[in-house]
Amino acid sequence: MSADRAAAAVSVPKLATGIAGFDSIAQGGVPQGRSTLIAGTPGSAKTVFAGQFLAAGITGPREPGVLVTCEESPDDLRRNFQAFGWDIARWEQEGYWTFVDASPAIELDAVEAGPYDLGGLIARVKGAVERTGAKRLAIDSLGAIFSRFPDVRQVRWDLFRIAAQMKRLRVTSVMTAERESEYGMVARHGVEEFVADNVVILRNILEAETRRRTVEILKFRGAGHQKGEYPFTILPEGGVVVIPLSAMELTQRSSQVRITSGNEKLDAMCGGGIYRDSIVLVSGATGTGKTLMATEFTSGGLVAGERCLLLAFEESRDQLIRNARGWDVEYEPAEQRGDLLIRCEYPEAAGLEDHLVRIKQAIDTFRPHRVVLDSLTALERVATARGFREFVIGLTSFIKERETAGLFTASTPSLMGGASVTEAHISTLTDSIILLRYVEMGGEVQRGLTVLKMRGAAHEKSIRQFTIDQKGMHIGEPFRGVEGILEGHPNRVIGHVG
Amino acid sequence: MSELILRLYIAGRTPAAERAIRNLERIVAESYGEDAPACAIEVIDILERPQLAEDERILATPVVIKKLPPPVRRVVGDLSEREKVLIGLDLKEY
């Protein structure tokens, strides 16, 4: 952090955009007093980004802004932006928001009779900025201007003049531009030639039948930024929300405080409980006891006087309460006390980015000590491999940052052993992994449990059998003289006596 | 004969702006000769009065807007292409 700040001090100063998460990957914001190109394919949320750049300037530092709209009419934008809670009409009255309307209209059609330039637009932009004392300018979009005037070279020169003028006026601007493909040249019409210094790319990628939005800072001349693509989502109440993955990972602390898993025997297997800011993955086939383990983890927290957030994506609230009651755990009194919050959602109800943002909001509002998610596998169904991994990274780092304990469950597809897809994707992201397995021995099916991994601590390596009854999970003795349990092919080892 | 009002918007006294003023004056004079209608050419420099450019939503300059008689017509450029100016401003009927 301090190294970053030192580096930022010698480079171009930044202007915090106020767009959630963006300033984090932009290491402070966009270069101040410069123009930044926001390039993207149709539908990549360029207009929202441009509008939000101004809106966040108004709601945050109360900086007036000017929006040059070249495509949509101010009326359309006022209406569209209303959906994000931005009261454009009021801001216009207060002098914080000004439109320069450059949208096309039939009555403005003109015959061309000789050479001309965009002197009118330049004068209007300058006039609006000077009249209102604007600190921020957005132009949406450059492509719309190019498509109306055939002399590309002249338009390019005029836009360069606008960019240069804004620089003189110390106005920070964003200009949107169209791209034809997600991974190709930066923008059409060669616009990067005049706003080449700073380029941000918005993408809306179709991947395995799922839409994924990402933002990438391609370059900030003379200033640092995070590299690579970061997922973002668009929320009705706030607009663009960027999910800064690696930026968060850097700030994680590590706690040495241990808490109970809700099961004494399991605590013992883990060497005295799990770390307070650690993420436990419980993996097993259907019916092995994952939800029970999640319930005991919740109950253990409630008994210790901790607040728990239960995120359920497979079962309804009633079902969860009934399940818990079957194991002698009562959720409703804890809910009434305000110690427990149960959120049940259909995985399909939203994109993974949206789920993540909602979960984060729930965590920040409820401030739980423990977060239980049952199950990750249900969420994996509605996402791409990469989107899912980003979700898990985003969630784990967010939880750990708040020194909260997390327990996630994941289902394995086969009844006997075998690794799940989920495990393969996220095992490196969680601190501890507990495997629950069916074990077929002597003609009957038993249950086995082992602590596969526990970051930063010694733990028991044996596989113990366990049973489930109305009181919950009972962990028994280790299986002895048997191998191949985890693979689902237990064999009695000759010569070993148990 | 009906009144003719032409407003010529320029962004500073650029060479193109000077040409546009000269060209417009010449075209109007040549088109009507002795029969010229009561004609007013107003030259508006939008660098001095940006709000007027805002009101007319002007992007390109120079631009001449025929306010009267209706319909309202626009022609952009230095007005060096005489035929296009006449067609664009719908002046030939006079």
Side-chain angles (χ1 to χ4, degrees), chain A residues 117-327:
Chain A
D117 61 25
L118 296 184
L121 180 63
I122 296 170
R124 288 168 68 194
V125 171
K126 184 164 180 269
V129 166
E130 285 178 338
R131 184 164 50 81
T132 63
K135 295 275 177 288
R136 299 179 184 217
L137 173 83
I139 300 182
D140 181 56
S141 70
L142 299 179
I145 303 179
F146 279 101
S147 64
R148 299 227 310 268
F149 299 99
D151 189 348
V152 172
R153 276 190 54 196
Q154 181 65 47
V155 174
R156 217 181 280 156
W157 170 245
D158 291 332
L159 291 171
F160 174 76
R161 282 166 65 197
I162 292 180
Q165 210 165 56
M166 291 305 115
K167 197 169 173 178
R168 269 202 306 281
L169 293 170
R170 311 183 69 78
V171 172
T172 309
S173 53
V174 299
M175 304 183 178
T176 68
E178 286 72 12
R179 308 184 74 206
E180 281 169 351
S181 62
E182 296 297 2
Y183 297 93
M185 58 189 261
V186 168
R188 296 170 62 184
H189 310 293
V191 292
E192 69 271 29
E193 285 174 28
F194 64 90
V195 276
D197 286 356
N198 312 300
V199 178
V200 172
I201 293 183
L202 303 179
R203 292 191 177 90
N204 184 16
I205 313 153
L206 185 61
E207 206 177 274
E209 295 175 15
T210 307
R211 281 270 164 213
R212 241 180 109 242
R213 294 183 183 280
T214 66
V215 54
E216 176 186 12
I217 298 170
L218 203 63
K219 57 175 167 177
F220 278 170
R221 184 150 297 170
H225 60 85
Q226 299 282 334
K227 290 171 186 64
E229 288 182 61
Y230 291 83
F232 74 93
T233 187
I234 298 172
L235 290 187
E237 62 274 19
V240 170
V241 178
V242 180
I243 300 159
L245 303 174
S246 62
M248 293 194 305
E249 281 180 299
L250 296 172
T251 61
Q252 281 169 23
R253 282 159 297 183
S254 189
S255 170
Q256 291 301 313
V257 179
R258 295 208 191 220
I259 58 169
T260 178
S261 67
N263 185 306
E264 272 180 44
K265 281 272 180 58
L266 184 59
D267 287 348
M269 288 176 77
C270 296
I274 56 173
Y275 290 119
R276 189 177 61 191
D277 61 348
S278 72
I279 309 286
V280 180
L281 178 69
V282 178
S283 168
T286 174
T288 43
K290 296 186 300 294
T291 301
L292 167 58
M293 191 162 269
T295 306
E296 294 198 335
F297 180 75
T298 308
S299 161
L302 293 173
V303 167
E306 299 177 349
R307 273 191 309 282
C308 301
L309 173 64
L310 191 47
L311 305 162
F313 291 96
E314 280 184 342
E315 291 176 296
S316 70
R317 193 173 161 277
D318 289 348
Q319 233 171 327
L320 282 170
I321 289 172
R322 211 164 41 237
N323 290 347
R325 192 169 291 146
W327 298 312

Side-chain angles (χ1 to χ4, degrees), chain B residues 4-84:
Chain B
L4 177 66
I5 296 183
L6 299 171
R7 289 201 184 126
L8 179 63
Y9 293 83
I10 57 171
R13 290 272 165 176
T14 62
E18 300 291 355
R19 282 200 302 278
I21 296 168
R22 278 201 311 276
N23 287 333
L24 186 61
E25 284 170 346
R26 188 185 312 135
I27 288 166
V28 169
E30 286 173 4
S31 301
Y32 299 103
E34 296 299 309
D35 306 326
C39 174
I41 298 176
E42 284 178 58
V43 177
I44 297 164
D45 187 345
I46 58 171
L47 293 188
E48 288 160 16
R49 305 167 76 183
Q51 190 54 45
L52 295 181
E54 198 58 54
D55 296 343
E56 293 287 352
R57 296 171 58 187
I58 288 166
L59 299 182
T61 48
V63 60
V64 56
I65 302 178
K66 185 189 73 171
K67 297 304 269 187
L68 278 175
V72 173
R73 290 293 180 88
R74 291 183 177 222
V75 176
V76 299
D78 67 358
L79 311 180
S80 53
E81 298 174 54
R82 186 171 178 275
E83 278 304 302
K84 286 187 179 170

